[in-house]
Amino acid sequence: MMDQAEKLRKLVRQQERRQQYARVITVTSGKGGVGKSSVAVNLAIQMQRLGKRVIVFDADFGLANVEVMLGIRPQFNLADLMFRGKTLAEIITKGPEDIGFISGGSGIQELARLTREQIIYLSQKLAELDSMADIIIVDTGAGIADAVLEFVAASSEVILVATPEPTSITDAYALLKTLNRRAGFSKEHTSIKMISNRVENEAEGRNLYEKMSLVVNKFLNIQPEFIGNIPQDDMVSKAVMLQKPVTLAYPNTPAAKAMQAIAVKLCDGPELEKKKGITGLFSDLIRTMIKKARGRKEEINE
């Protein structure tokens, strides 16, 4: 008999033969307070302006930063789709510039406990989501908690946000180091990009990237790609106070223009050879969580 993970793999393979996938970009950081959620939200808005259909998935179930920045409160989240009969359309909240927003909520913690029927149901719904968006931006929690690392390890395209603060640099390196040791992570099949945030000038941003790149290449054999700087800009904080993304509240400020340039670079850059979409990301995520839960049970039973 096939176990649950093998059934999931078979289901995903069947869907791969008939499915077009959205591009999934996971935004993460080594520590909180470096502007990760601001980057995720503003890139989503800029990409939508470039003609892409964009959905933001908030995978940080501990905080509601994306909700605060968008100034919206979703009525339902992923758990309502999985357990309470809500449709995909019902859990997608419309945000500014017509971007979609989904709150992961407590649903992320429940993924390992899904039955076979619930996994099939969720996979079918996520297949719908893949067809509804060109780009899905996943905003993870910060740091090296399991929930963060599981999302990043399952992603094929990752944006790492760091600032010149020494703690931000060391924590960003710690995230990549921990990720590199994690089962399920493949450096060959993961594109890691870096944004230098809150820098005084271009030289500081480039220097931050080169320092990080040198260390991770030498010790982890990972070569991140530099995709741009975002300058220190007081208007970003003012926009947060207004509960509006800076690209909407103050579109002509240096930070907003920098986000626009990065969005253009991402949209104009080469697509990954094989996108696995949000369906593939969640199938990898569930598989890993099921294996971990099974391992814990075996330890308890020994």
Side-chain angles (χ1 to χ4, degrees), residues 7 11 29 43 88 111 114 133 139 150-151 181-182 185 188 194-195 217 221 234 237 248 288 290 302:
K7 287 171 183 171
L11 177 66
S29 62
L43 284 182
L88 192 60
L111 291 173
L114 296 182
D139 182 40
E150 281 161 3
F151 260 99
R181 296 171 173 169
R182 200 169 187 86
F185 172 69
E188 292 79 17
M194 181 175 157
I195 291 175
N217 198 11
N221 196 26
D234 292 341
S237 303
L248 292 180
T288 302
I290 288 172
E302 282 178 2

Side-chain angles (χ1 to χ4, degrees), residues 57-61 77-79 103-109:
F57 183 89
D58 187 358
D60 185 357
F61 54 83
N77 61 36
L78 186 66
S103 169
S106 59
I108 296 165
Q109 296 166 296

Side-chain angles (χ1 to χ4, degrees), residues 97-132:
E97 303 275 319
D98 212 33
I99 63 170
F101 170 62
I102 296 175
S103 169
S106 59
I108 296 165
Q109 296 166 296
E110 301 292 333
L111 291 173
R113 302 189 186 101
L114 296 182
T115 64
R116 176 176 174 268
E117 289 73 24
Q118 287 169 331
I119 288 174
I120 291 170
Y121 176 76
L122 179 61
S123 185
Q124 288 168 341
K125 292 300 169 187
L126 292 171
E128 289 177 32
L129 185 59
D130 264 326
S131 67
M132 293 168 67

Side-chain angles (χ1 to χ4, degrees), residues 14 19 51 70 79 95 104 115 121 129 142 160 162 171 185 191 194-195 202-203 209 228 241 261 267 270 278 290 295:
Q14 289 170 349
Q19 174 89 30
L70 292 174
T115 64
Y121 176 76
L129 185 59
L160 177 65
D171 288 346
F185 172 69
S191 169
M194 181 175 157
I195 291 175
E202 284 192 26
Y209 162 72
M241 295 299 289
C267 289
I278 199 75
I290 288 172

Side-chain angles (χ1 to χ4, degrees), residues 90-284:
E90 286 176 308
I91 71 160
I92 298 176
T93 304
K94 279 297 177 188
E97 303 275 319
D98 212 33
I99 63 170
F101 170 62
I102 296 175
S103 169
S106 59
I108 296 165
Q109 296 166 296
E110 301 292 333
L111 291 173
R113 302 189 186 101
L114 296 182
T115 64
R116 176 176 174 268
E117 289 73 24
Q118 287 169 331
I119 288 174
I120 291 170
Y121 176 76
L122 179 61
S123 185
Q124 288 168 341
K125 292 300 169 187
L126 292 171
E128 289 177 32
L129 185 59
D130 264 326
S131 67
M132 293 168 67
D134 300 309
I135 298 171
I136 298 170
I137 294 181
V138 178
D139 182 40
T140 73
I144 58 172
D146 272 352
V148 175
L149 289 167
E150 281 161 3
F151 260 99
V152 179
S155 303
S156 52
E157 189 170 2
V158 176
I159 292 178
L160 177 65
V161 181
T163 68
E165 247 182 273
T167 51
S168 171
I169 298 167
T170 54
D171 288 346
Y173 175 73
L175 183 144
L176 293 179
K177 183 179 177 182
T178 310
L179 181 67
N180 199 42
R181 296 171 173 169
R182 200 169 187 86
F185 172 69
S186 167
K187 66 181 78 174
E188 292 79 17
H189 298 100
T190 307
S191 169
I192 296 178
K193 301 172 170 69
M194 181 175 157
I195 291 175
S196 298
N197 193 25
R198 297 180 188 156
V199 295
E200 292 301 325
N201 50 53
E202 284 192 26
E204 185 179 45
R206 173 62 69 171
N207 184 49
L208 170 58
Y209 162 72
E210 286 175 354
K211 275 200 284 192
M212 176 70 71
S213 179
L214 183 70
V215 175
V216 298
N217 198 11
K218 181 178 179 180
F219 294 107
L220 308 178
N221 196 26
I222 293 173
Q223 182 58 63
E225 176 192 349
F226 185 55
I227 55 165
N229 300 307
I230 300 171
Q232 174 64 40
D233 189 338
D234 292 341
M235 291 303 174
V236 175
S237 303
K238 289 187 178 180
V240 171
M241 295 299 289
L242 294 172
Q243 290 192 271
K244 288 184 78 173
V246 70
T247 48
L248 292 180
Y250 306 105
N252 296 315
T253 55
K257 289 181 177 178
M259 304 254 202
Q260 181 184 29
I262 292 170
V264 169
K265 189 172 182 180
L266 286 167
C267 289
D268 287 350
E271 292 266 346
L272 295 178
E273 282 184 21
K274 188 182 177 188
K275 294 185 293 187
K276 60 182 179 180
I278 199 75
T279 316
L281 184 149
F282 267 88
S283 70
D284 289 350

